[in-house]
Amino acid sequence: MPELPEVETIARGLAPQVEGRTVTAVHILNDSTVEGRRELLEHRVTGCVISRVHRRGKVLLMDIAPASASATDKPVVAPQPSSQPTHVAFHLKMTGRLFVYPQGTPPAVHTRIIFDLSDGSRVFFDDARKFGYCRALAAQDFTEWNFWQKLGPEPLEIGEDAFVQLLRGRRTRIKAALLDQTVIAGIGNIYADESLFRARIRPDAACDSIPEAKLRALHGVMQAVLQLAIRECGSSIRDYRDAHGDAGAFQNNFLVYGKAGEKCTVCGRKLSTAKVAGRTTVFCGKCQK
């Protein structure tokens, strides 16, 4: 599943290709890919300008605003303010992708939604496994979207003191806490394993058993890992590609993820594996204590 660095990379690559363009048509090719009110996406988004592309946690967001009739090939009736969507949200889940194609490009076998833009280009939301979804949201919908309301703080924005307070009183295992999107948003299996190894913390250690100094170290390491992964355009394990179709490169920096049975780069001991919060976890039993 694309995590924070991958979604951030996609947002940054998509932004210059679509910002300032008007959505002239929305084609829904798979009903189950739409979450929430279909009519908001299919009809109310049409005629709106994409003003910004950004990310919250693992969710990619397109901010949209009403466009004048001159911005499209034919006049558009402005939506009623009460139902005017302000965002289109994409959760890519395991295999979701967003690409921009030239005018007239036909849908592929896994294309679920197409957005036609005023410059003739087309944005495809492709998803081989159909776990991802797209949702149009009016301003008031965010207060009613349970998933959005429960999202934890952004790991690249939270301060060190707040991060320590977030974790120190919890009895849950530290990796489970990092994977819990209601605790902190955007971190998944890859970056939890890599951050915990670099901070020398066992993934199954209870949060309230970890010394404060180590939690502070984890905060810095976590942010450094995420920032490096963003600079490397994310990690490509199987399906992930950025908005230009290119693979990420952070997988070349993995120290533990996916390396069970290999030698620890620090001590030379064979890396161990276990299940934590239902996820395969790789760690060094000697270095991480």
Side-chain angles (χ1 to χ4, degrees):
M1 179 186 295
E3 302 177 25
L4 185 155
E6 290 76 46
V7 180
E8 180 68 25
T9 299
I10 293 169
R12 292 183 183 186
L14 198 61
Q17 301 183 78
V18 303
E19 285 181 353
R21 276 76 166 182
T22 300
V23 179
T24 57
V26 179
H27 310 278
I28 298 172
L29 308 181
N30 183 66
D31 288 342
S32 65
T33 302
V34 179
E35 184 176 88
R37 291 179 285 173
R38 175 182 172 128
E39 67 274 10
L40 278 179
L41 182 64
E42 194 168 33
H43 302 298
R44 300 287 184 175
V45 171
T46 302
C48 289
V49 174
I50 300 171
S51 59
R52 183 187 176 209
V53 180
H54 56 112
R55 175 200 58 78
R56 171 76 170 100
K58 299 179 185 180
V59 176
L60 185 140
L61 295 164
M62 288 184 184
D63 293 358
I64 62 175
S68 63
S70 60
T72 58
D73 293 333
K74 52 186 177 181
V76 175
V77 177
Q80 295 299 315
S82 62
S83 59
Q84 170 61 44
T86 57
H87 299 279
V88 178
F90 299 88
H91 203 310
L92 305 179
K93 293 292 185 176
M94 295 183 69
T95 58
R97 298 181 180 185
L98 284 162
F99 293 126
V100 179
Y101 292 98
Q103 185 174 12
T105 302
V109 64
H110 298 308
T111 303
R112 311 303 177 193
I113 303 174
I114 298 173
F115 298 82
D116 285 331
L117 304 185
S118 53
D119 65 349
S121 62
R122 316 187 86 189
V123 180
F124 284 15
F125 182 33
D126 295 340
D127 187 11
R129 300 189 69 175
K130 298 183 182 179
F131 292 152
Y133 63 80
C134 176
R135 180 175 188 139
L137 295 135
Q140 68 272 18
D141 291 334
F142 279 97
T143 62
E144 302 167 2
W145 189 13
N146 193 49
F147 167 80
W148 184 265
Q149 292 302 313
K150 289 184 175 181
L151 278 178
E154 287 287 320
L156 289 176
E157 296 176 5
I158 189 171
E160 184 179 293
D161 290 342
F163 181 76
V164 171
Q165 291 301 317
L166 187 71
L167 296 173
R168 67 183 307 176
R170 296 177 182 271
R171 295 182 179 178
T172 187
R173 291 173 292 179
I174 183 64
K175 182 175 178 181
L178 294 179
L179 294 179
D180 187 341
Q181 301 301 294
T182 69
V183 175
I184 191 162
I187 300 175
N189 207 30
I190 294 173
Y191 302 106
D193 275 6
E194 292 297 314
S195 297
L196 290 169
F197 175 75
R198 288 163 169 81
R200 303 295 185 260
I201 298 172
R202 280 186 65 95
D204 56 357
C207 292
D208 60 2
S209 72
I210 301 171
E212 182 177 319
K214 280 203 167 186
L215 290 178
R216 292 187 180 278
L218 176 60
H219 173 266
V221 164
M222 171 193 70
Q223 293 193 338
V225 165
L226 292 173
Q227 289 165 345
L228 176 58
I230 291 171
R231 290 197 297 273
E232 295 283 358
C233 298
S235 304
S236 289
I237 309 299
R238 297 182 183 87
D239 301 294
Y240 165 71
R241 294 293 185 272
D242 67 15
H244 300 287
D246 299 323
F250 185 73
Q251 66 273 11
N252 300 320
N253 296 280
F254 288 172
L255 299 181
V256 290
Y257 181 81
K259 294 181 177 291
E262 297 183 25
K263 289 184 178 180
C264 172
T265 56
V266 175
C267 72
R269 179 174 175 171
K270 185 161 68 171
L271 295 173
S272 302
T273 185
K275 287 281 187 180
V276 179
R279 304 301 301 277
T280 299
T281 300
V282 183
F283 64 100
C284 178
K286 182 178 180 180
C287 293
Q288 292 172 259
K289 295 183 178 178

